[in-house]
Each structure stands twice: as structure tokens, then as C-alpha cells.
Amino acid sequence: MVKAGKVSCVKGEFMFFKKKELEIVSPVKGKLISIKDVPDITFSEEMVGKGVAVIPEENELYSPVGGTVTTVFPTSHAIGLTTKDGIDILLHIGLDTVNLKGEGFDVKVKEGDEVKAGDLLVVADFEKIKLAGYRLETPVIICNPEQCKKLTYTKPQAVNKGDVIIKYLK
């Protein structure tokens, strides 16, 4: 077999290697919504990146991808992850929750930790967050979407933790 770039010759046949779609999964059970429906212009106008949001029904939030924890915000309301293929993901728990200064968030990881999709990241007290007047929409954002050749989003619907919500080609 002779390999040349993306084409492999095997007994006179050409086989083209198809790039595998990679997946981002829901960090929590809830209602998946379009990022355009998030009532915060920073997210709805994709200023931070492209993605979707989940309105959580449970308090435990899990990693949507495998990779490295690159940022745990000091206020514990958001976590940055980087996949092995260099895609930067932001999990932002609720809207304007930075104002809670960490109240209602119990972060279970630290910067530099390696995680797999489905590993526990944060336990959030959503009752406390709602009582403080904050919304629960939780954006899952690809911060460097220009690194993706193609992005596909799951249509808005009920999702369980671990359901695919975004597919991308690197």
C-alpha cells in the first residue's frame, strides 16, 4: 500500500479518507435551545463564539468534551475547556451569574485537569441562582469556530446529559 496525502492506493483502488465528525454533548439534562434564543446579546449575537444553550433540569454539570480544563473563572460560573484537537469550549452556567461571585457553584475541577466527556465539572444550586434573579440558560460555546470546517447543531428539544448537541469537522 502506498499512501500519498489523503489518498491511499490499494490494489489499484483509490480510497478517500473521510474526516470523522467530532461531537460535543449536553453537559446536563434539560431543554436545548438555539443560541439565538438566549436573552443575552453577548451569546445570541455570537460575540463569544458559536454554539447552543441548555436550560438545565438538574444541578450537576458535566464536561461536554474530552480535553483539558484551561480556565475556571474565579467566580466559578464558567469553565473553559480545550479539546485534544485544539477546539476551545466555554461552558457558561446561567446568565449574568458572574454577579453571584461564586455563590451557588461548587466546582469539582481545576485548571490543568484532564477530563473526559461526562466527567463532573460543577454542582450548581439552581434554586439559589433563580431566587437571586438570574436566568439558567447555560451556553455551550465553541470560542474558535474558525478552526472548524463544518458545524452542525442538534435542533431544539429535550436532551439528556451526554446527548450530542453539536457536531464539527476539524
Side-chain angles (χ1 to χ4, degrees), residues 83-163:
T83 65
K84 289 178 179 32
D85 59 350
I87 300 300
D88 295 323
I89 307 293
L90 174 67
L91 176 64
H92 193 284
I93 305 161
L95 302 178
D96 295 323
T97 50
V98 64
N99 299 324
L100 291 170
K101 298 181 172 74
E103 289 292 318
F105 301 99
D106 181 13
V107 178
K108 302 297 185 180
V109 293
K110 63 185 181 316
E111 289 179 14
D113 283 356
E114 294 294 321
V115 295
K116 298 181 303 292
D119 285 353
L120 181 62
L121 298 177
V122 180
V123 177
D125 186 341
F126 285 122
E127 283 306 310
K128 184 177 200 170
I129 293 167
K130 282 193 297 191
L131 286 172
Y134 296 98
R135 298 185 62 105
L136 303 184
E137 287 90 339
T138 297
V140 180
I141 303 295
I142 297 174
C143 298
N144 55 347
E146 70 281 356
Q147 297 294 313
C148 302
K149 292 185 176 151
K150 178 182 175 187
L151 287 169
T152 307
Y153 307 101
T154 300
K155 67 179 171 54
Q157 62 184 295
V159 291
N160 288 308
K161 173 188 83 83
D163 287 351

Side-chain angles (χ1 to χ4, degrees), residues 5-24:
K6 294 183 181 178
V7 179
S8 175
C9 296
V10 181
K11 296 181 184 174
E13 295 180 23
F14 290 98
M15 297 179 353
F16 291 91
F17 293 106
K18 183 178 179 185
K19 289 200 174 209
K20 181 182 171 204
E21 275 190 315
L22 301 163
E23 299 175 338
I24 299 172

